[in-house]
Amino acid sequence: MTEPVDLGAAVAVLDNAQSVTVLCHVQPDADTIGSGLALAQVLHRRGVPVRVSFAEPAELPASMRSLPGIEFLVPAGAVPATVDVLVAVDCGSAGRLGSLRDRLDGARTTLVLDHHRSNTRFGMVNVIDESAESTAGLVARILDAWGEPIDRGVAHCLYAGLVTDTGSFKWARPGSHALAERLLATGIDGATITRTLMDTHPFGWLPMLSRVLATAQLERTAAGGAGLVYVFVRQADVNGVRSEEVESVVDIVRTTAEAQIAAVFKESRTESGHWTVSLRSHDAADGTPGVDVAGVAAALGGGGHRYAAGYSATGAPEPLIAALLAELGSPAGA
């Protein structure tokens, strides 16, 4: 059981805001961007000056550029040092804000809206719903509590976060489908939104996948026999490939039948030897709960959900794998 979520605390902050900066996490996905742009549209129609931003990469992934409210996005360098209210959406820790984390110090009030169990509660006001399938779902409930209608533009953004964080509803939770039905009833085209975000890739994605997947390794004894499959996506693999193509690799690697845990190490495009690591897990065939990768990621400096988490690391591939295997309870090469 989780503690009741005080939606009223978020409403009070937003309702009294004189100006708002909404910050999304680095390497943004559709849940953080969709949640941010949904809030921005509502604040704008209430007459509140608002901007949305993220630290990196320099440009929004192409798959999200058709989201309504894109006009509220500003470059990281244009985010002012001071603001009345700063809202962090879908960020489990201040570190997920990247270089924009220093903007927390210049806000009169900081509000964190998130659904990650590992959230560090780094805001002055923290509204965290660990039972929510997405931050977009949490934002929808906050808008309801606020008495703000969800129009078509807002629904588009919320649906983007909902469909991606549930993996096209493969990981839906109670209420997910009801929310989807409500959002679709506004007239949005759910099929097109999903295809744009999840099922459209440039041709360069295919040779990148070929190179990366050819290097996949399987550690059958990891995590007490649960098994680990992993790949490294190096700088040379991603030339000319968008960030969303790189992020999609884990969804293919995780389908390996012989491993309940998948890891994708993604090297920084600008700093050799700097990696972001995506972890995924699933239950065993007999229904035994899968490995808690949030705990594994937290031990390695990151966080996330039980079945989807991540962390950052620096070094050569061999010691990075050794560190992960050690945390999983299996020595390298076992």
Side-chain angles (χ1 to χ4, degrees):
M1 296 292 292
T2 58
E3 295 182 4
V5 179
D6 185 6
L7 301 177
V11 171
V13 171
L14 295 169
D15 199 49
N16 292 295
Q18 300 301 305
S19 63
V20 177
T21 293
V22 182
L23 295 184
C24 305
H25 61 67
V26 294
Q27 304 301 326
D29 59 13
D31 193 25
T32 190
I33 293 293
S35 297
L37 294 182
L39 281 175
Q41 292 176 75
V42 173
L43 288 162
H44 176 72
R45 75 186 183 205
R46 290 176 59 88
V48 179
V50 59
R51 63 186 60 80
V52 182
S53 192
F54 53 90
E56 57 182 271
E59 295 184 348
L60 184 68
S63 63
M64 299 177 225
R65 293 176 191 168
S66 60
L67 290 177
I70 201 79
E71 65 271 20
F72 299 111
L73 270 176
V74 301
V79 177
T82 59
V83 70
D84 183 40
V85 173
L86 184 147
V87 184
V89 286
D90 202 42
C91 297
S93 67
R96 291 286 282 156
L97 297 173
S99 62
L100 288 174
R101 67 180 300 170
D102 63 359
R103 300 309 199 274
L104 293 166
D105 297 331
R108 183 183 63 83
T109 303
T110 53
L111 169 64
V112 175
L113 305 179
D114 191 27
H115 68 129
H116 293 94
R117 189 187 67 193
S118 59
N119 191 285
T120 61
R121 274 71 174 173
F122 60 95
M124 298 176 188
V125 178
N126 301 284
V127 179
I128 316 299
D129 186 359
E130 300 172 11
S131 67
E133 77 290 290
S134 62
T135 297
L138 172 61
V139 169
R141 288 164 49 216
I142 290 170
L143 295 180
D144 287 345
W146 197 6
E148 287 291 338
I150 295 176
D151 60 22
R152 186 169 179 171
V154 173
H156 185 138
C157 291
L158 295 179
Y159 190 84
L162 176 66
V163 73
T164 52
D165 254 34
T166 59
S168 292
F169 301 99
K170 289 195 293 289
W171 311 299
R173 298 187 183 183
S176 299
H177 289 93
L179 175 58
E181 182 176 1
R182 177 184 172 194
L183 297 176
L184 290 168
T186 65
I188 61 173
D189 186 343
T192 297
I193 294 170
T194 303
R195 183 171 60 252
T196 301
L197 290 169
M198 305 181 72
D199 294 326
T200 303
H201 300 284
F203 178 77
W205 182 63
L206 297 178
M208 183 273 287
L209 278 180
S210 177
R211 292 190 300 270
V212 170
L213 297 181
T215 68
Q217 298 291 317
L218 178 65
E219 295 282 351
R220 296 177 182 271
T221 61
L228 167 71
V229 59
Y230 65 88
V231 297
F232 282 82
V233 184
R234 293 171 168 81
Q235 284 181 348
D237 296 318
V238 299
N239 290 333
V241 179
R242 306 177 308 185
S243 60
E244 53 259 57
E245 271 68 65
V246 177
E247 294 303 316
S248 72
V249 171
V250 70
D251 291 320
I252 298 172
V253 175
R254 71 187 301 171
T255 62
T256 303
E258 294 87 349
Q260 292 180 39
I261 309 159
V264 175
F265 294 77
K266 298 160 290 184
E267 190 173 20
S268 167
R269 293 175 186 262
T270 57
E271 297 181 85
S272 298
H274 289 257
W275 310 81
T276 55
V277 187
S278 295
L279 298 177
R280 299 291 186 270
S281 71
H282 60 80
D283 293 343
D286 63 1
T288 302
V291 173
D292 181 359
V293 291
V296 174
L300 295 169
H305 306 289
R306 180 182 184 93
Y307 298 112
Y311 62 98
S312 298
T314 302
E318 292 76 13
L320 293 181
I321 282 296
L324 176 57
L325 287 170
E327 196 58 46
L328 289 170
S330 175

